[in-house]
mmCIF file of all heavy atoms in Angstrom:
data_model
loop_
_atom_site.group_PDB
_atom_site.id
_atom_site.type_symbol
_atom_site.label_atom_id
_atom_site.label_comp_id
_atom_site.label_asym_id
_atom_site.label_seq_id
_atom_site.Cartn_x
_atom_site.Cartn_y
_atom_site.Cartn_z
ATOM 1 N N ILE A 147 -7.876 -18.027 4.721
ATOM 2 C CA ILE A 147 -7.003 -19.075 5.268
ATOM 3 C C ILE A 147 -7.892 -20.304 5.475
ATOM 4 O O ILE A 147 -8.373 -20.572 6.583
ATOM 5 C CB ILE A 147 -6.336 -18.658 6.604
ATOM 6 C CG1 ILE A 147 -5.806 -17.221 6.548
ATOM 7 C CG2 ILE A 147 -5.205 -19.632 6.958
ATOM 8 C CD1 ILE A 147 -5.156 -16.740 7.847
ATOM 9 N N VAL A 178 -8.501 -10.138 10.650
ATOM 10 C CA VAL A 178 -7.355 -11.057 10.754
ATOM 11 C C VAL A 178 -6.226 -10.530 9.872
ATOM 12 O O VAL A 178 -6.344 -10.501 8.648
ATOM 13 C CB VAL A 178 -7.754 -12.496 10.346
ATOM 14 C CG1 VAL A 178 -6.546 -13.432 10.428
ATOM 15 C CG2 VAL A 178 -8.879 -13.008 11.239
ATOM 16 N N GLY A 179 -5.145 -10.097 10.536
ATOM 17 C CA GLY A 179 -4.008 -9.516 9.820
ATOM 18 C C GLY A 179 -3.967 -8.015 10.025
ATOM 19 O O GLY A 179 -4.960 -7.326 9.776
ATOM 20 N N ALA A 180 -2.828 -7.526 10.515
ATOM 21 C CA ALA A 180 -2.706 -6.085 10.787
ATOM 22 C C ALA A 180 -1.569 -5.475 9.990
ATOM 23 O O ALA A 180 -0.722 -4.753 10.506
ATOM 24 C CB ALA A 180 -2.528 -5.837 12.279
ATOM 25 N N GLY A 181 -1.537 -5.799 8.680
ATOM 26 C CA GLY A 181 -0.678 -5.066 7.752
ATOM 27 C C GLY A 181 -1.432 -3.798 7.363
ATOM 28 O O GLY A 181 -2.291 -3.314 8.122
ATOM 29 N N ALA A 182 -1.141 -3.291 6.153
ATOM 30 C CA ALA A 182 -1.786 -2.050 5.722
ATOM 31 C C ALA A 182 -3.298 -2.214 5.602
ATOM 32 O O ALA A 182 -4.071 -1.369 6.088
ATOM 33 C CB ALA A 182 -1.193 -1.606 4.401
ATOM 34 N N VAL A 183 -3.756 -3.316 4.994
ATOM 35 C CA VAL A 183 -5.198 -3.491 4.776
ATOM 36 C C VAL A 183 -5.939 -3.565 6.111
ATOM 37 O O VAL A 183 -6.893 -2.827 6.356
ATOM 38 C CB VAL A 183 -5.483 -4.773 3.949
ATOM 39 C CG1 VAL A 183 -6.972 -5.050 3.876
ATOM 40 C CG2 VAL A 183 -4.927 -4.635 2.539
ATOM 41 N N GLU A 186 -5.893 -0.203 8.077
ATOM 42 C CA GLU A 186 -6.729 0.858 7.495
ATOM 43 C C GLU A 186 -8.213 0.566 7.742
ATOM 44 O O GLU A 186 -8.982 1.464 8.118
ATOM 45 C CB GLU A 186 -6.431 1.010 5.993
ATOM 46 C CG GLU A 186 -5.045 1.608 5.751
ATOM 47 C CD GLU A 186 -4.701 1.836 4.284
ATOM 48 O OE1 GLU A 186 -5.564 1.635 3.412
ATOM 49 O OE2 GLU A 186 -3.540 2.230 4.019
ATOM 50 N N ILE A 201 -6.502 -8.582 14.879
ATOM 51 C CA ILE A 201 -5.704 -9.742 15.297
ATOM 52 C C ILE A 201 -4.484 -9.887 14.399
ATOM 53 O O ILE A 201 -4.612 -9.989 13.176
ATOM 54 C CB ILE A 201 -6.556 -11.033 15.203
ATOM 55 C CG1 ILE A 201 -7.850 -10.864 16.016
ATOM 56 C CG2 ILE A 201 -5.762 -12.244 15.709
ATOM 57 C CD1 ILE A 201 -8.879 -11.948 15.711
ATOM 58 N N GLU A 202 -3.298 -9.895 14.983
ATOM 59 C CA GLU A 202 -2.051 -10.019 14.209
ATOM 60 C C GLU A 202 -1.205 -11.145 14.784
ATOM 61 O O GLU A 202 -0.954 -11.195 15.988
ATOM 62 C CB GLU A 202 -1.289 -8.684 14.243
ATOM 63 C CG GLU A 202 0.129 -8.727 13.723
ATOM 64 C CD GLU A 202 0.270 -9.225 12.286
ATOM 65 O OE1 GLU A 202 -0.433 -8.731 11.395
ATOM 66 O OE2 GLU A 202 1.094 -10.159 12.060
ATOM 67 N N ALA A 203 -0.752 -12.042 13.908
ATOM 68 C CA ALA A 203 0.035 -13.199 14.353
ATOM 69 C C ALA A 203 1.427 -12.789 14.850
ATOM 70 O O ALA A 203 1.925 -13.336 15.833
ATOM 71 C CB ALA A 203 0.171 -14.193 13.205
ATOM 72 N N LEU A 204 2.034 -11.825 14.202
ATOM 73 C CA LEU A 204 3.381 -11.396 14.607
ATOM 74 C C LEU A 204 3.280 -10.543 15.880
ATOM 75 O O LEU A 204 2.193 -10.113 16.254
ATOM 76 C CB LEU A 204 4.058 -10.649 13.457
ATOM 77 C CG LEU A 204 4.384 -11.561 12.268
ATOM 78 C CD1 LEU A 204 4.893 -10.770 11.073
ATOM 79 C CD2 LEU A 204 5.398 -12.635 12.666
ATOM 80 N N PRO A 209 3.797 -4.991 11.296
ATOM 81 C CA PRO A 209 5.087 -5.592 11.673
ATOM 82 C C PRO A 209 6.260 -5.240 10.776
ATOM 83 O O PRO A 209 7.403 -5.397 11.183
ATOM 84 C CB PRO A 209 4.804 -7.100 11.640
ATOM 85 C CG PRO A 209 3.584 -7.256 10.818
ATOM 86 C CD PRO A 209 2.787 -6.015 10.959
ATOM 87 N N ALA A 234 -1.023 -12.986 18.224
ATOM 88 C CA ALA A 234 -2.247 -13.784 18.431
ATOM 89 C C ALA A 234 -2.505 -14.659 17.205
ATOM 90 O O ALA A 234 -2.575 -14.153 16.082
ATOM 91 C CB ALA A 234 -3.431 -12.859 18.666
ATOM 92 N N ALA A 267 -7.449 -10.030 6.149
ATOM 93 C CA ALA A 267 -6.438 -9.077 5.668
ATOM 94 C C ALA A 267 -5.065 -9.662 5.927
ATOM 95 O O ALA A 267 -4.173 -9.002 6.449
ATOM 96 C CB ALA A 267 -6.612 -7.740 6.377
ATOM 97 N N ALA A 268 -4.931 -10.950 5.583
ATOM 98 C CA ALA A 268 -3.682 -11.672 5.890
ATOM 99 C C ALA A 268 -2.872 -11.915 4.630
ATOM 100 O O ALA A 268 -2.284 -12.973 4.440
ATOM 101 C CB ALA A 268 -4.006 -12.976 6.605
ATOM 102 N N GLY A 269 -2.845 -10.931 3.757
ATOM 103 C CA GLY A 269 -2.025 -11.047 2.554
ATOM 104 C C GLY A 269 -2.850 -11.347 1.317
ATOM 105 O O GLY A 269 -4.044 -11.625 1.393
ATOM 106 N N ARG A 270 -2.173 -11.265 0.163
ATOM 107 C CA ARG A 270 -2.857 -11.442 -1.112
ATOM 108 C C ARG A 270 -2.179 -12.533 -1.949
ATOM 109 O O ARG A 270 -1.000 -12.817 -1.763
ATOM 110 C CB ARG A 270 -2.856 -10.120 -1.898
ATOM 111 C CG ARG A 270 -3.604 -9.003 -1.180
ATOM 112 C CD ARG A 270 -3.511 -7.683 -1.939
ATOM 113 N NE ARG A 270 -4.169 -7.734 -3.237
ATOM 114 C CZ ARG A 270 -5.465 -7.507 -3.450
ATOM 115 N NH1 ARG A 270 -6.250 -7.195 -2.428
ATOM 116 N NH2 ARG A 270 -5.981 -7.555 -4.651
ATOM 117 N N MET A 317 4.204 -5.419 -2.728
ATOM 118 C CA MET A 317 3.003 -5.351 -3.574
ATOM 119 C C MET A 317 2.364 -3.974 -3.395
ATOM 120 O O MET A 317 1.388 -3.820 -2.668
ATOM 121 C CB MET A 317 2.041 -6.470 -3.178
ATOM 122 C CG MET A 317 2.558 -7.843 -3.553
ATOM 123 S SD MET A 317 1.688 -9.136 -2.678
ATOM 124 C CE MET A 317 0.700 -9.825 -3.953
ATOM 125 N N LEU A 318 2.952 -3.000 -4.043
ATOM 126 C CA LEU A 318 2.490 -1.621 -3.891
ATOM 127 C C LEU A 318 2.274 -1.005 -5.264
ATOM 128 O O LEU A 318 3.079 -1.235 -6.186
ATOM 129 C CB LEU A 318 3.534 -0.792 -3.127
ATOM 130 C CG LEU A 318 3.842 -1.256 -1.704
ATOM 131 C CD1 LEU A 318 5.050 -0.517 -1.148
ATOM 132 C CD2 LEU A 318 2.629 -1.051 -0.795
ATOM 133 N N VAL A 349 3.427 3.402 2.941
ATOM 134 C CA VAL A 349 2.496 4.264 3.683
ATOM 135 C C VAL A 349 1.264 3.472 4.101
ATOM 136 O O VAL A 349 0.697 2.744 3.286
ATOM 137 C CB VAL A 349 2.031 5.473 2.822
ATOM 138 C CG1 VAL A 349 1.054 6.341 3.612
ATOM 139 C CG2 VAL A 349 3.198 6.312 2.350
ATOM 140 N N THR A 350 0.869 3.603 5.337
ATOM 141 C CA THR A 350 -0.431 3.099 5.778
ATOM 142 C C THR A 350 -1.244 4.319 6.186
ATOM 143 O O THR A 350 -0.785 5.143 6.987
ATOM 144 C CB THR A 350 -0.271 2.121 6.963
ATOM 145 O OG1 THR A 350 0.607 1.087 6.553
ATOM 146 C CG2 THR A 350 -1.611 1.523 7.364
ATOM 147 N N TYR A 351 -2.451 4.430 5.622
ATOM 148 C CA TYR A 351 -3.208 5.682 5.723
ATOM 149 C C TYR A 351 -4.200 5.686 6.878
ATOM 150 O O TYR A 351 -5.265 6.292 6.778
ATOM 151 C CB TYR A 351 -3.922 5.967 4.399
ATOM 152 C CG TYR A 351 -2.969 6.114 3.232
ATOM 153 C CD1 TYR A 351 -2.424 4.989 2.621
ATOM 154 C CD2 TYR A 351 -2.608 7.364 2.765
ATOM 155 C CE1 TYR A 351 -1.542 5.114 1.555
ATOM 156 C CE2 TYR A 351 -1.738 7.501 1.685
ATOM 157 C CZ TYR A 351 -1.205 6.377 1.095
ATOM 158 O OH TYR A 351 -0.333 6.499 0.040
HETATM 159 P P1 NAI B 1 0.312 -7.899 4.492
HETATM 160 O O1 NAI B 1 1.086 -9.081 4.072
HETATM 161 O O2 NAI B 1 0.924 -6.560 4.420
HETATM 162 O O3 NAI B 1 -0.201 -8.089 6.001
HETATM 163 C C1 NAI B 1 -0.859 -9.255 6.419
HETATM 164 C C2 NAI B 1 -0.641 -9.441 7.899
HETATM 165 O O4 NAI B 1 -1.404 -10.564 8.304
HETATM 166 C C3 NAI B 1 0.807 -9.729 8.257
HETATM 167 O O5 NAI B 1 1.229 -8.812 9.228
HETATM 168 C C4 NAI B 1 0.760 -11.160 8.779
HETATM 169 O O6 NAI B 1 1.665 -11.377 9.834
HETATM 170 C C5 NAI B 1 -0.673 -11.278 9.266
HETATM 171 N N1 NAI B 1 -1.200 -12.645 9.291
HETATM 172 C C6 NAI B 1 -1.022 -13.610 8.373
HETATM 173 N N2 NAI B 1 -1.670 -14.731 8.741
HETATM 174 C C7 NAI B 1 -2.277 -14.465 9.931
HETATM 175 C C8 NAI B 1 -3.099 -15.219 10.830
HETATM 176 N N3 NAI B 1 -3.426 -16.490 10.584
HETATM 177 N N4 NAI B 1 -3.531 -14.628 11.966
HETATM 178 C C9 NAI B 1 -3.192 -13.324 12.224
HETATM 179 N N5 NAI B 1 -2.424 -12.588 11.413
HETATM 180 C C10 NAI B 1 -1.977 -13.137 10.279
HETATM 181 O O7 NAI B 1 -1.049 -8.007 3.644
HETATM 182 P P2 NAI B 1 -2.273 -7.022 3.463
HETATM 183 O O8 NAI B 1 -2.379 -6.023 4.562
HETATM 184 O O9 NAI B 1 -3.424 -7.936 3.216
HETATM 185 O O10 NAI B 1 -1.896 -6.264 2.144
HETATM 186 C C11 NAI B 1 -1.608 -6.978 0.935
HETATM 187 C C12 NAI B 1 -0.610 -6.186 0.102
HETATM 188 O O11 NAI B 1 -1.204 -5.003 -0.367
HETATM 189 C C13 NAI B 1 0.623 -5.812 0.903
HETATM 190 O O12 NAI B 1 1.752 -5.947 0.125
HETATM 191 C C14 NAI B 1 0.361 -4.393 1.259
HETATM 192 O O13 NAI B 1 1.538 -3.649 1.467
HETATM 193 C C15 NAI B 1 -0.430 -3.887 0.050
HETATM 194 N N6 NAI B 1 -1.297 -2.802 0.454
HETATM 195 C C16 NAI B 1 -0.755 -1.569 0.596
HETATM 196 C C17 NAI B 1 -1.521 -0.530 1.055
HETATM 197 C C18 NAI B 1 -0.874 0.782 1.227
HETATM 198 O O14 NAI B 1 0.186 1.007 0.663
HETATM 199 N N7 NAI B 1 -1.450 1.682 1.991
HETATM 200 C C19 NAI B 1 -2.931 -0.694 1.393
HETATM 201 C C20 NAI B 1 -3.381 -2.031 1.234
HETATM 202 C C21 NAI B 1 -2.568 -3.026 0.780
#
Side-chain angles (χ1 to χ4, degrees):
I147 316 179
V178 179
V183 173
E186 290 182 6
I201 305 167
E202 169 57 50
L204 292 173
R270 298 176 65 86
M317 291 163 107
L318 299 170
V349 179
T350 304
Y351 300 79

